[in-house]
Amino acid sequence: MVDVAKDQLGVVIEGFRKRLAHRRRHPGPKSSELFYEAIIKTYQSIADAKEEGKPLVWSSAIVPVEIFYAMDVVPFMPEPYCAIVASQLNLTGYMDMATSYGYPVELCSFHRLILAMAENNELPLPDILIHNSQVCDSSLKDFDLLSGIFQCPIFMVEQPFCFDETGIKYYKKELQRLIEFLEETTQRKLDYDRLGRVLELSNEAMAYQFEYEQLRKTVPTPVRAKDAFRTVNIKWMAGTEEAVAYFRSVRDEAAQMVENQRGAIPEERYRLYWAFAAPPMYANDICDWLETEYGAVFPVDMHNVILEKKDLDLSDPLGSLARKYFFDHLIKLCGAPLKLAIEDVVRVAEDYRIDGVVFPAHLGCKHGCAMIRGLRDALKERAGIPSLILDCDLLDPSIMPPDELRRKFEEFLEILENR
Amino acid sequence: MDDLVKILAELKDIAEAPTPNDYLKSWKEKGGKAIGWFCTYVPEEIIYACGMLPYRVTGEAINLELADSYLYPNACSFARNCLEMGLKGHYDLLDGLVGCNTCDHIRRMLDNWEIYLKTPFLHIFGLPHKVTEDTVSFFEDQLSVLKEKLEELAGCKLSEDAIYQGIKVYNRTRELLQYIYDSRKAELPPISGTETLAIIKAATRMPRDEYNRCLEKLVAELNSTENPKTSGEGPRILICGSLLDKADLHRTVEEMGGLVVADELCTGSRYFHGRVDESLEPIRALAGYYLSKPPCARMRPFKRRFDYVLDLVKQFKVDGVIYEVIKFCDTYGYDRPSLKKELEKNGIPVLELDIEYLPGSIGQVKTRIQAFIEMLNDRIRCAQS
């Protein structure tokens, strides 16, 4: 691994270690320790992959990570990693770097960041690249270009734009082709018994997570936004013991709060739904501020919506993996026709008794922004729920600085107050 | 040569006539059905075989106020312009629309069209991003479903022979257009880039049989040795990038002394390259042809596209490339640095332009185009001396 990448990864891991040490010195919810233990283990395995002789596989979102764990290869998702780095380091420098490499400023800042860091050798070198066709154009294109930068094998999992049994059937075959590709490039055979065990763990974690998400529906909601939002990092570790332990723990903690009729904050006044992406990386404290100052909570967010629990069928591992990932809420929001996203979002807003929906119009996310009108109109007409649209860039504070972000929320909460 | 000039002028008028044009109106007045399509991965042959008029949906609006309230200002101006036209009723004569998941901008434009406009028939099929036997089979299934939907709309049942006839007609178009296009390999091309763009655009806005007859006459005139027309001399330029069906850029380049001899545009060479294999079962043949033709930047791997551009550069003896990207276009925007690097490695200078799909946007980049052509002229003079 190139030194810069290794050093930077080391800094990230060390940062998490310090936070874990702090939590052990000042015990709080068990899930918090489990979170940092899982994250540290994940990033340490990425740092150690080469030394341990394990292939490092870069993956975009919505590729069945269970397959990687079953094959004992090390998955690395550049998007969340780069988001962590961006929140800690100098983003402007990376954006300038991306521009100097020729990438237009209108492209998604997350993907410009990945490309800038890749061109600058600041990311762990992949042995293999795997990406999904259906998340967004940026994810499709940047992985293709990364294969040129890194000169390593790449496989695109074609998730067809066909949201019925024909599409799932095709996708199942595509997962089989993914396995064949991985077997050929890594010279490792997939152990189907091991895959079975991984799927069992995935089912177990999913069952706990589903219960946890149902508990978040309670009024008052038992979980603070920051704690809830970060579960997506563990969701992407589906199939590991760590994910099971973590989701069991957050489920138990939420259940205890509900049993004690306690909310996450002393007085819950507004229930908001972060319907797309996440809070801007430069304003990580916005949810804390909303909870503390205004009693505005987030019982639900885009990354953790599970509308139905579907167990992975061990007798048809690839078919059930295909079904799980094909209809993942993230895919419905990103890659599927808008009418499917609308059904999900309205249903979620009603189920969670939401007062207002928050939608960041991230400048570089063209498909996301183009959904806003349809979602906003449907929420208003079908559920009577207003929306707050934030014209921002999730990485770049110059588009909507933190104080303006707060002002927008304040105006929105005034609207909710007057309803 | 007068007849050649006359035909070119007629095709230019057809290309530039506002929508709905006279062909569309007349077709509808005679009781025919017309189907709009957005992307060159839509097989027009099937629409044609059903006895309906395929009509390409593009944008002619000069402002996008309405569309901006549905899409967002960061949607590409082509997608917004098409939606603007739809919202203002310019496409109300269409009986239906066919599209696919070309890119995020187009599919979200189609999403909004489906929700907010009352076009009676709207079918969006899945277009794979890569070319393998499995994706061709998948695409074949998608086209079979499209065929069934169009048959239902048209009230007909297509025989294999009917589709073959459609393929033959469209293959003839491809043959004729390739001939006209290849004439620009000459040192003094008889047809300019501006004229070529109009010739191809006219194909998408009129009945195909009549268009082919027009092309046959054009080819006959080109072959005539009396007073051969030339479009002049100058640095030989290839234009590539986002969808471009307005002649402003080509015209500006040529007014400033450049010769647009080739392009890698879906409104240019990619529209007609190759032939559908008439020996195969027709839907299979269409699936194979459309998926395998020179790719849009939404297809992967990018190397296929890059190789096509490099081949055009060689065949047409290109001196310089203009790579235009409609602002916010992701697929072509991501490719640009790598393709530019590849071209410059092969000794081909590249001018990068960010443009809008709106009238007058080329005015802002005229100076840069002029400087680029002057630089190319200097290079040519140096090489010759």
Side-chain angles (χ1 to χ4, degrees):
Chain A
M1 189 181 300
V2 177
D3 282 347
V4 174
K6 192 172 182 176
D7 286 347
Q8 210 158 90
L9 187 50
V11 166
V12 168
I13 294 171
E14 186 54 28
F16 286 127
R17 283 197 200 286
K18 283 182 177 160
R19 280 174 237 173
L20 176 60
H22 174 81
R23 271 159 185 74
R24 283 180 177 156
R25 284 196 301 272
H26 307 280
K30 182 68 184 162
S31 62
S32 205
E33 283 183 40
L34 290 171
F35 173 80
Y36 286 112
E37 284 170 2
I39 290 285
I40 290 165
K41 185 175 178 185
T42 295
Y43 282 115
Q44 195 61 58
S45 71
I46 292 164
D48 297 339
K50 291 275 185 291
E51 278 164 25
E52 291 179 2
K54 291 189 182 180
L56 186 67
V57 177
W58 279 35
S59 172
S60 72
I62 314 298
V63 176
V65 69
E66 290 91 336
I67 292 175
F68 301 138
Y69 290 125
M71 287 196 70
D72 200 24
V73 299
V74 178
F76 170 72
M77 293 179 73
E79 279 184 63
Y81 177 74
C82 289
I84 292 168
V85 169
S87 66
Q88 294 173 1
L89 298 180
N90 175 15
L91 176 74
T92 310
Y94 285 116
M95 293 294 103
D96 289 344
M97 212 186 291
T99 305
S100 74
Y101 281 118
Y103 298 110
V105 297
E106 293 87 10
L107 302 178
C108 174
S109 49
F110 274 100
H111 294 272
R112 292 181 73 227
L113 177 60
I114 293 170
L115 287 165
M117 291 181 77
E119 296 261 23
N120 219 39
N121 295 319
E122 291 189 28
L123 293 173
L125 287 176
D127 295 298
I128 297 164
L129 297 166
I130 308 288
H131 63 138
N132 178 301
S133 64
Q134 209 57 271
V135 178
C136 64
D137 287 344
S138 285
S139 184
L140 180 77
K141 291 302 296 183
D142 82 352
F143 264 73
D144 203 20
L145 295 170
L146 287 168
S147 71
I149 293 170
F150 293 123
Q151 294 293 307
C152 67
I154 181 170
F155 184 89
M156 184 201 70
V157 182
E158 180 88 66
Q159 184 162 349
F161 190 80
C162 176
F163 297 86
D164 57 22
E165 290 302 317
T166 310
I168 293 176
K169 203 167 132 193
Y170 179 86
Y171 190 51
K172 179 181 171 180
K173 283 194 208 160
E174 189 71 346
L175 293 183
Q176 182 60 52
R177 286 186 278 272
L178 167 62
I179 290 167
E180 287 161 13
F181 171 83
L182 284 170
E183 287 180 337
E184 195 185 311
T185 43
T186 65
Q187 294 296 298
R188 292 163 176 242
K189 291 301 273 183
L190 172 62
D191 177 344
Y192 278 86
D193 287 339
R194 185 175 167 137
L195 179 62
R197 287 196 294 278
V198 167
L199 295 196
E200 280 174 346
L201 288 171
S202 187
N203 277 345
E204 200 181 343
M206 213 171 11
Y208 290 134
Q209 189 185 6
F210 182 73
E211 285 181 49
Y212 166 72
E213 295 300 336
Q214 301 309 298
L215 288 163
R216 284 177 71 192
K217 284 181 184 173
T218 315
V219 180
T221 195
V223 185
R224 292 197 69 159
K226 219 173 197 169
D227 295 329
F229 288 6
R230 67 180 180 186
T231 58
V232 67
N233 293 284
I234 311 297
K235 179 180 162 187
W236 290 331
M237 296 177 198
T240 62
E241 305 268 5
E242 287 75 23
V244 173
Y246 175 78
F247 280 116
R248 185 192 302 123
S249 181
V250 293
R251 188 280 312 262
D252 290 347
E253 287 160 8
Q256 190 65 60
M257 293 286 279
V258 170
E259 197 181 298
N260 296 340
Q261 295 180 319
R262 282 183 59 200
I265 62 171
E267 193 183 342
E268 178 181 292
R269 292 198 205 103
Y270 311 101
R271 292 169 69 85
L272 304 180
Y273 168 14
W274 205 284
F276 192 72
M281 299 302 299
Y282 59 84
N284 264 331
D285 61 345
I286 188 70
C287 294
D288 287 342
W289 175 78
L290 283 165
E291 285 168 346
T292 310
E293 294 297 325
Y294 288 98
V297 296
F298 289 86
V300 65
D301 60 277
M302 170 182 110
H303 288 289
N304 295 302
V305 168
I306 309 178
L307 283 167
E308 278 149 17
K309 190 171 80 68
K310 284 194 182 74
D311 277 346
L312 298 167
D313 178 356
L314 272 57
S315 68
D316 180 20
L318 296 190
S320 53
L321 275 175
R323 204 167 287 278
K324 172 187 170 185
Y325 283 88
F326 208 89
F327 287 111
D328 184 274
H329 180 67
L330 182 65
I331 280 292
K332 280 202 205 162
L333 276 187
C334 294
L338 180 54
K339 55 190 177 192
L340 294 185
I342 286 174
E343 292 310 311
D344 266 17
V345 169
V346 172
R347 181 179 156 188
V348 166
E350 288 175 329
D351 280 358
Y352 282 78
R353 285 176 278 180
I354 294 301
D355 300 310
V357 173
V358 179
F359 202 102
H362 172 54
L363 192 64
C365 186
K366 316 326 188 303
H367 74 86
C369 291
M371 290 200 288
I372 288 171
R373 175 73 188 251
L375 285 174
R376 192 184 64 197
D377 286 354
L379 283 163
K380 196 165 170 203
E381 286 158 20
R382 289 165 54 175
I385 298 173
S387 303
L388 169 64
I389 313 301
L390 301 168
D391 290 318
C392 64
D393 185 294
L394 293 180
L395 292 185
D396 183 355
S398 67
I399 310 298
M400 181 175 276
D403 58 337
E404 194 185 327
L405 182 67
R406 288 184 177 197
R407 218 171 20 253
K408 290 286 181 193
F409 269 105
E410 284 171 334
E411 289 165 4
F412 185 60
L413 293 176
E414 232 177 273
I415 292 171
L416 298 185
E417 185 65 37
N418 292 332
R419 275 162 55 86
Chain B
M1 187 165 87
D2 287 346
D3 284 342
L4 175 62
V5 170
K6 190 164 159 248
I7 296 168
L8 289 172
E10 281 169 8
L11 289 169
K12 179 174 179 277
D13 287 342
I14 294 166
E16 293 179 357
T19 297
N21 68 8
D22 289 341
Y23 284 108
L24 180 55
K25 286 184 212 167
S26 158
W27 187 272
K28 291 294 300 181
E29 277 161 15
K30 291 176 188 156
K33 288 195 160 98
I35 300 294
W37 57 273
F38 290 90
C39 169
T40 51
Y41 284 96
V42 172
E44 292 177 75
E45 289 91 331
I46 303 178
I47 302 170
Y48 172 93
C50 286
M52 298 190 282
L53 174 69
Y55 192 94
R56 188 169 195 175
V57 175
T58 56
E60 297 152 29
I62 55 173
N63 69 59
L64 307 176
E65 290 162 352
L66 281 181
D68 281 351
S69 68
Y70 289 88
L71 290 172
Y72 228 67
N74 65 354
C76 95
S77 39
F78 170 71
R80 286 185 286 142
N81 207 316
C82 291
L83 186 63
E84 184 81 17
M85 296 280 289
L87 289 164
K88 285 179 171 157
H90 292 272
Y91 288 108
D92 283 356
L93 286 181
L94 296 176
D95 297 277
L97 291 171
V98 176
C100 55
N101 57 321
T102 313
C103 64
D104 288 345
H105 301 264
I106 296 293
R107 69 184 174 87
R108 285 298 185 221
M109 184 267 293
L110 289 170
D111 280 337
N112 278 273
W113 196 301
E114 187 174 19
I115 293 169
Y116 293 104
L117 286 157
K118 302 287 180 250
T119 307
F121 171 90
L122 173 59
H123 183 76
I124 303 165
F125 60 80
L127 177 66
H129 290 84
K130 59 184 177 182
V131 188
T132 63
E133 254 191 63
D134 295 304
T135 57
V136 172
S137 296
F138 172 81
F139 194 42
E140 190 185 344
D141 287 341
Q142 292 288 291
L143 295 188
S144 297
V145 171
L146 171 65
K147 176 178 90 70
E148 286 166 14
K149 299 273 184 193
L150 289 171
E151 283 172 334
E152 203 181 306
L153 179 68
C156 69
K157 192 88 182 108
L158 288 183
S159 62
E160 269 197 8
D161 193 59
I163 309 175
Y164 272 130
Q165 290 312 311
I167 289 172
K168 276 184 172 30
V169 167
Y170 276 74
N171 269 351
R172 183 60 184 151
T173 309
R174 293 178 182 111
E175 208 170 20
L176 292 165
L177 282 175
Q178 190 69 61
Y179 183 88
I180 293 163
Y181 201 85
D182 283 348
S183 71
R184 291 153 74 216
K185 286 180 181 172
E187 201 178 316
L188 298 174
I191 304 228
S192 70
T194 308
E195 287 162 341
T196 307
L197 191 71
I199 292 167
I200 298 169
K201 187 168 179 181
T204 64
R205 299 161 66 84
M206 62 187 286
R208 188 49 56 105
D209 296 312
E210 189 177 333
Y211 178 71
N212 279 357
R213 286 194 292 275
C214 198
L215 282 194
E216 305 271 8
K217 282 190 213 160
L218 181 56
V219 167
E221 287 300 319
L222 275 178
N223 285 334
S224 160
T225 53
E226 273 186 47
N227 300 321
K229 174 183 173 297
T230 73
S231 54
E233 292 181 87
R236 298 171 69 86
I237 288 170
L238 178 147
I239 292 180
C240 67
S242 311
L243 187 148
L244 187 73
D245 66 329
K246 308 278 180 288
D248 300 343
L249 177 58
H250 292 60
R251 193 178 295 123
T252 301
V253 169
E254 290 177 327
E255 279 170 0
M256 293 195 170
L259 269 183
V260 179
V261 295
D263 65 80
E264 178 259 347
L265 301 169
C266 69
T267 50
S269 69
R270 289 201 286 109
Y271 177 67
F272 58 83
H273 191 274
R275 306 281 179 276
V276 179
D277 188 342
E278 294 176 30
S279 70
L280 298 176
E281 188 274 324
I283 297 293
R284 179 79 189 183
L286 287 170
Y289 167 77
Y290 276 91
L291 211 49
S292 311
K293 63 184 189 152
C296 167
R298 58 93 67 193
M299 298 293 286
R300 61 162 310 281
F302 62 79
K303 193 176 178 307
R304 276 186 64 222
R305 180 178 168 233
F306 290 14
D307 286 345
Y308 178 64
V309 172
L310 290 167
D311 186 53
L312 284 173
V313 161
K314 202 165 137 190
Q315 281 193 53
F316 286 82
K317 297 189 180 58
V318 165
D319 298 308
V321 168
I322 294 178
Y323 193 133
E324 51 80 15
V325 173
I326 296 176
K327 262 174 93 74
F328 300 115
C329 175
D330 294 309
T331 49
Y332 284 94
Y334 275 106
D335 269 0
R336 192 161 68 184
S338 302
L339 181 52
K340 183 181 176 206
K341 209 192 286 189
E342 207 54 39
L343 286 163
E344 287 174 347
K345 225 165 61 179
N346 282 274
I348 305 292
V350 177
L351 172 64
E352 299 172 84
L353 294 180
D354 293 324
I355 62 173
E356 291 279 20
Y357 187 84
L358 280 168
S361 80
I362 301 300
Q364 296 164 21
V365 295
K366 266 189 175 157
T367 315
R368 295 184 60 210
I369 296 170
Q370 188 168 28
F372 185 64
I373 292 171
E374 279 170 16
M375 181 271 291
L376 291 177
N377 273 323
D378 286 344
R379 272 170 63 105
I380 293 168
R381 275 194 290 270
C382 280
Q384 284 169 348
S385 62

